[in-house]
Amino acid sequence: MEWKLFADLAEVTGARTVRVDVGGDATVGDALDALVGAHPALESRVFGDDGELYDHINVLRNGEAAALGEATAAGDELALFPPVSGG
């Protein structure tokens, strides 16, 4: 499964795309755990002290908003967006 990372999240990992291995019955949350496990510096950027995903972090599955409990399928593209501002 592949994650696309944007802004400072890509800087933290050193890559705009990161491949993770998860089981066939994995959820979006499992894939996110695999990503953070491979890149521990992401943890403080996406999770609060309570271990919950920050409200301002957007998770997408195949271009649409995704809940962490949502099932994934082989070939899914996941994306992680921090808050973005500018004009």
Side-chain angles (χ1 to χ4, degrees):
M1 185 152 311
E2 186 173 87
W3 279 98
K4 287 192 173 192
L5 306 174
F6 296 87
D8 66 324
L9 302 178
E11 291 174 21
V12 168
T13 63
R16 287 188 146 314
T17 59
V18 175
R19 197 149 193 58
V20 298
D21 292 320
V22 294
D25 61 347
T27 64
V28 173
D30 294 333
L32 182 55
D33 288 344
L35 174 66
V36 171
H39 298 278
L42 284 174
E43 186 168 9
S44 65
R45 304 283 182 131
V46 299
F47 294 112
D49 292 337
D50 59 0
E52 296 294 318
L53 184 71
Y54 283 124
D55 289 339
H56 61 267
I57 297 292
N58 296 301
V59 179
L60 303 178
R61 179 177 161 254
N62 300 326
E64 298 196 15
L68 295 182
E70 189 174 317
T72 61
D76 277 352
E77 181 182 87
L78 303 172
L80 203 56
F81 285 88
V84 179
S85 63

